[in-house]
Amino acid sequence: MLFIGIDVTSTKHDVAIVSSEKGLLLSPFSIPNNLDGYEKLRREISSHTESVLDVRIGIEETGIYSKNISDYLALYGFTVHMINPV
């Protein structure tokens, strides 16, 4: 199982990818808050698993800044959990 944590800001998102078997898979990284960044993230996640069913994504709920990325990932079948930052 892969667990993805995403910290959301208006211009970029910071991402950590952790495997339940192997721990932290790579150093946390940033993607731009745009379609190119979302596609980069999807490719990175897909390179570590064969099925979206083995992925859980937690996104900091920040209103408009988290909506686009959460909608994008859900469109590709990922399970997305919105997390209240409070």
Side-chain angles (χ1 to χ4, degrees), residues 10 12 32 47-48 56 70-71 74 81:
S10 62
K12 69 177 179 73
S47 74
H48 296 286
R56 297 296 179 268
S70 62
D71 287 351
H81 301 275

Side-chain angles (χ1 to χ4, degrees), residues 3-75:
F3 299 97
I4 318 298
I6 303 175
D7 181 41
V8 174
T9 71
S10 62
T11 59
K12 69 177 179 73
H13 303 317
D14 296 319
V15 180
I17 301 177
V18 177
S19 164
S20 59
E21 294 85 26
K22 299 177 185 176
L24 188 65
L25 292 180
L26 63 157
S27 295
F29 59 95
S30 295
I31 60 167
N33 185 5
N34 59 35
L35 184 58
D36 290 338
Y38 307 160
E39 290 173 349
K40 175 184 176 185
L41 176 59
R42 184 173 53 88
R43 286 190 304 272
E44 187 63 49
I45 295 169
S46 297
S47 74
H48 296 286
T49 187
E50 294 180 10
S51 173
V52 297
L53 299 176
D54 294 330
V55 178
R56 297 296 179 268
I57 300 172
I59 297 179
E60 177 189 18
E61 189 170 17
T62 57
I64 61 170
Y65 301 127
S66 58
K67 181 166 177 28
N68 288 341
I69 191 167
S70 62
D71 287 351
Y72 175 88
L73 293 167
L75 179 68

